[in-house]
Amino acid sequence: MTRSPRWVAVLLVAAACSAASQATGDFPEGEEGSVEALAPVATAAPVALRERPAWLESGCSLPLEHLRRIKRGYYRGRSPDLFLVPRQPHFFGRFFSTTHSGPWEYVQEVPLVFYGPGFVEAQGTLELRRKITLADLAPTVARLLRMGWPKERAGRAVKEALLPDAARPRSPKLIVQVVWDGGGWNVLNRWPRAWPFLASLMEGGTSVADAMVGSSPSVTPAIHSTMGTGAFPRRHGVVDIYMRNAEGEVTGALNGQPADELELTTVGDVFDRRNGNRPKVGAVTYRYFHLGMMGHGAMLRGADRDFVAIATREPGNRVTGPGRIVTNPDLYQLPYYLDDVPGWDEDLRAVDVADGKLDGKWMRHADLTDPTTVRHSPVWTLYQTRLIKELLAREDFGANRVPDLFFTNYKQVDDVGHDYNMVEPQMREILRYSDESLEGLTRWLDRK
């Protein structure tokens, strides 16, 4: 008796968490059309004021592809009135937090990896003539599900990554989308030995060469919504971490209220409703603004409440444990047992002693007793994997003939990048923990 193959999509992207956006003026017509909606502004330059070019000349001197990415990230009424682009190597930021958002190649180049024997081609690196962005993810998942996809959206399926329809089973049991937030190629190339399991998935599946985020600002809410909808912010409407609402107030994007900021349906929304809500759809994430990759839940007519577990920052500490797991009960459902998943104390101790001293610190100075700091450490990486396994097992994901969908974001790569910078050894260690967690989750899925 042979086992039917299951498919796990491992998708690693850089979705930064600080704004550093840009300017634009008129430029030749491209795949995105004209740019009359955007106002050009001056870029910062390390020269005397009298030597700076006029603002229009400065804005129009940006590379065409950078201007195109800015336009894709603009949504009238929600985006800023002024887009600023620092001239390299300058950046906008704070003394205690580094940034990694913008249109430049070094923050746009991201790994895009598909893995799943029986469904995905085992071809290693895939080089294509056309430009691949994260908008191509949703239509690729739709193709795996043998589901049509709107042609008016920017994304196109990366069909070259998949086995031909006739060569693969009718549908996978379960598709799992894993995001390493802030884990672009600049980070992976800085620490090439810290992610051996991911490298093995690249070799055993398909790793799409030269994949790009595709829009700017390259921030978490906007890019996760791009992954879910197969469109850029100029269409799906989620433009930044904070953005203007209909009343002109600045609020947090996708902050747990009805997700009417997300103007387009996601692949999860569409597939779930087309199959009478029989598929299980779920997510375990760090904040609400990751949910653009999953969907609207019960907000849509005829939809049900999908499984969503959001980690809160407090009161988690050494005494009280990991803190509360929450959801928006109007749109999603939260299994009661996730508040009591064991293993927090073991994970905290393992991280604490890894540097050779049991002192309540990670790498000698990150305070593991602080509820905010501990969420920026490998402790949460390990414990999040426990939550994912518990939810998938208790709710029988992948247990019937209708494919199920699950989404998760490992936020700690991004947090460590902001807190310490990608060149510091803390980044190497968080990549190592994330890679080991990815391996543990993948092996567990294979067994189950």
Side-chain angles (χ1 to χ4, degrees):
M1 177 179 179
T2 60
R3 295 173 57 194
S4 61
R6 293 170 182 256
W7 183 77
V8 180
V10 183
L11 312 160
L12 311 178
V13 304
C17 292
S18 287
S21 201
Q22 323 194 309
T24 176
D26 293 336
F27 60 90
E29 291 280 323
E31 63 182 291
E32 293 294 316
S34 63
V35 292
E36 289 79 9
L38 292 180
V41 299
T43 58
V47 295
L49 180 62
R50 56 185 170 78
E51 298 175 349
R52 292 177 184 169
W55 58 268
L56 180 60
E57 180 182 350
S58 178
C60 291
S61 69
L62 290 166
L64 176 61
E65 187 58 34
H66 292 187
L67 296 172
R68 183 173 289 121
R69 290 167 188 161
I70 297 166
K71 188 200 172 187
R72 289 170 175 167
Y74 176 84
Y75 190 98
R76 184 186 295 273
R78 297 183 183 177
S79 293
D81 294 323
L82 194 67
F83 281 70
L84 302 176
V85 188
R87 193 184 302 276
Q88 291 177 273
H90 302 274
F91 65 92
F92 293 110
R94 298 168 290 177
F95 288 111
F96 51 86
S97 179
T98 60
T99 64
H100 46 236
S101 172
W104 312 285
E105 269 63 22
Y106 75 96
V107 293
Q108 287 276 328
E109 296 172 343
V110 293
L112 181 59
V113 184
F114 298 90
Y115 177 80
F119 293 92
V120 175
E121 289 276 10
Q123 59 187 319
T125 301
L126 172 64
E127 297 183 1
L128 298 172
R129 292 184 178 180
R130 71 181 188 277
K131 295 179 180 179
I132 300 298
T133 73
L134 293 182
D136 298 324
L137 176 54
T140 306
V141 174
R143 189 177 182 90
L144 268 170
L145 296 170
R146 301 178 186 265
M147 182 182 75
W149 192 250
K151 294 182 178 180
E152 66 272 14
R153 300 190 188 183
R156 296 292 178 266
V158 188
K159 59 183 179 181
E160 298 87 349
L162 309 180
L163 290 168
D165 289 354
R168 52 186 166 92
R170 178 64 186 171
S171 59
K173 296 285 188 180
L174 172 65
I175 297 176
V176 176
Q177 180 171 312
V178 178
V179 178
W180 282 4
D181 203 325
W185 274 116
N186 57 343
V187 174
L188 298 189
N189 288 335
R190 178 66 177 84
W191 305 104
R193 298 181 180 179
W195 40 279
F197 183 72
L198 172 59
S200 73
L201 295 185
M202 292 178 174
E203 295 176 2
T206 292
S207 177
V208 183
D210 301 322
M212 296 281 179
V213 171
S215 67
S216 180
S218 54
V219 292
T220 299
I223 305 312
H224 281 67
S225 298
T226 292
M227 289 189 287
T229 63
F232 293 115
R234 67 189 296 262
R235 288 287 315 281
H236 65 60
V238 180
V239 298
D240 214 325
I241 297 173
Y242 295 97
M243 63 187 199
R244 291 181 290 188
N245 58 24
E247 290 72 37
E249 301 168 333
V250 177
T251 62
L254 302 176
N255 61 359
Q257 302 304 313
D260 51 2
E261 298 161 345
L262 186 60
E263 300 287 349
L264 300 178
T265 52
T266 66
V267 64
D269 290 331
V270 175
F271 184 72
D272 198 14
R273 289 195 295 170
R274 285 188 183 181
N275 289 274
N277 294 316
R278 290 181 297 161
K280 296 183 180 69
V281 180
V284 173
T285 71
Y286 189 66
R287 295 183 183 176
Y288 282 105
F289 57 44
H290 298 113
L291 294 183
M293 65 177 169
M294 190 204 77
H296 294 79
M299 177 183 171
L300 303 178
R301 180 177 299 176
D304 63 345
R305 295 190 305 149
D306 301 320
F307 297 98
V308 167
I310 305 292
T312 59
R313 288 177 178 265
E314 51 189 10
N317 55 42
R318 181 179 291 278
V319 177
T320 61
R324 295 183 304 130
I325 309 298
V326 302
T327 199
N328 180 343
D330 294 330
L331 303 181
Y332 312 107
Q333 58 177 307
L334 175 66
Y336 68 91
Y337 50 80
L338 290 184
D339 266 333
D340 300 313
V341 173
W344 175 262
D345 292 336
E346 294 101 354
D347 294 337
L348 192 145
R349 182 180 177 84
V351 172
D352 193 345
V353 302
D355 59 6
K357 187 176 182 180
L358 186 64
D359 57 359
K361 298 183 182 298
W362 174 51
M363 299 192 73
R364 301 299 176 94
H365 75 105
D367 187 359
L368 296 179
T369 67
D370 182 272
T372 299
T373 305
V374 76
R375 290 301 174 91
H376 293 194
S377 79
V379 178
W380 184 254
T381 303
L382 299 175
Y383 190 70
Q384 177 176 331
T385 307
R386 294 180 186 270
L387 292 175
I388 293 170
K389 293 177 181 178
E390 189 76 11
L391 176 61
L392 294 178
R394 295 278 289 265
E395 301 302 332
D396 291 328
F397 274 73
N400 54 44
R401 299 181 63 180
V402 180
D404 297 328
L405 303 174
F406 183 79
F407 306 83
T408 194
N409 172 291
Y410 282 86
K411 184 68 173 171
Q412 287 67 49
V413 176
D414 181 57
D415 287 330
V416 166
H418 288 304
D419 294 344
Y420 302 99
N421 198 307
M422 56 169 275
V423 302
E424 297 298 328
Q426 285 85 353
M427 180 60 78
R428 177 196 61 215
E429 290 304 295
I430 200 64
L431 284 174
R432 183 175 65 81
Y433 277 100
S434 298
D435 193 66
E436 291 174 357
S437 293
L438 178 63
E439 180 175 13
L441 178 60
T442 304
R443 303 300 189 206
W444 182 84
L445 287 167
D446 286 343
R447 292 194 302 272
K448 301 296 285 189

